[in-house]
Amino acid sequence: MTPGITATRKARINHTIHEYDHDPASESYGSEAADKMGTDPRRVFKTLVVAIDGKELAVGVIPVSAMLSMKRMARAANGKKAAMADPQEVMRSTGYVLGGVSPLGQKRRLKTFIDASAREFKTIFVSAGRRGLEIELAPDDLATLVNGRFLPLQQE
């Protein structure tokens, strides 16, 4: 049980847990998840933590097949500049290891933005808080759980 699964159950959100054998040699955790689950990579979302203006941390949730637009992320968080956050700071703030960072059940609640493409699907997959563990839920339920907003976040 991870904090993300616990938070989802506590909120009585309809969800499904998917587990697969994670390969430590895998170069892309998200692509590996889509491949091993036999799922369209546009429905599998990765959780990226960025530093806004070098201070505040924020979360971008985007398809594993996409790249995060730092300009769009900064704008979403009312900042001027966004950059990937320091890995140690990410783990300290979220309570999760890299490759298993979930938008759900983070130690410190961060501003969360979900790519608008999530709304194209009835359900999407996000990390449940461990490598090899995904949680499937409705995009609007994810937004409710993390107090997130839907915005275009992908690089064009």
Side-chain angles (χ1 to χ4, degrees), residues 73-145:
M73 191 65 193
R75 204 173 314 125
N78 296 319
K80 293 181 181 173
K81 189 175 180 186
M84 293 305 295
D86 173 71
Q88 293 303 317
E89 200 174 349
V90 171
M91 291 187 287
R92 219 178 3 261
S93 176
T94 65
Y96 294 118
V97 297
L98 297 183
V101 176
S102 177
L104 304 163
Q106 295 181 357
K107 236 196 277 188
R108 219 175 85 213
R109 182 173 273 203
L110 303 173
K111 283 184 188 174
T112 301
F113 305 96
I114 305 162
D115 187 70
S117 69
R119 287 195 148 157
E120 295 171 15
F121 304 101
K122 183 178 173 188
T123 62
I124 61 170
F125 300 81
V126 296
S127 175
R130 194 178 76 222
R131 295 172 189 158
L133 192 64
E134 295 282 312
I135 187 167
E136 180 182 1
L137 70 171
D140 287 337
D141 287 340
L142 173 63
T144 298
L145 280 168

Side-chain angles (χ1 to χ4, degrees), residues 4 6-7 12 16 26 28 91 98 105 122 125:
T6 301
R12 298 179 192 267
T16 306
S26 179
S28 170
M91 291 187 287
L98 297 183
K122 183 178 173 188
F125 300 81

Side-chain angles (χ1 to χ4, degrees), residues 17-29:
I17 303 301
H18 299 270
E19 197 164 6
Y20 61 90
D21 288 326
H22 165 64
D23 178 0
S26 179
E27 291 183 22
S28 170
Y29 300 117

Side-chain angles (χ1 to χ4, degrees), residues 36-103:
K36 292 214 172 160
M37 292 187 306
T39 303
D40 181 344
R42 294 174 303 154
R43 282 184 63 207
V44 180
F45 283 66
K46 56 188 171 185
T47 306
L48 302 174
V49 181
V50 300
I52 305 296
D53 296 331
K55 301 176 260 181
E56 173 188 21
L57 295 181
V59 174
V61 181
I62 66 167
V64 299
S65 57
M67 295 286 292
L68 179 65
S69 165
M70 292 301 173
K71 284 183 181 179
R72 287 180 168 184
M73 191 65 193
R75 204 173 314 125
N78 296 319
K80 293 181 181 173
K81 189 175 180 186
M84 293 305 295
D86 173 71
Q88 293 303 317
E89 200 174 349
V90 171
M91 291 187 287
R92 219 178 3 261
S93 176
T94 65
Y96 294 118
V97 297
L98 297 183
V101 176
S102 177

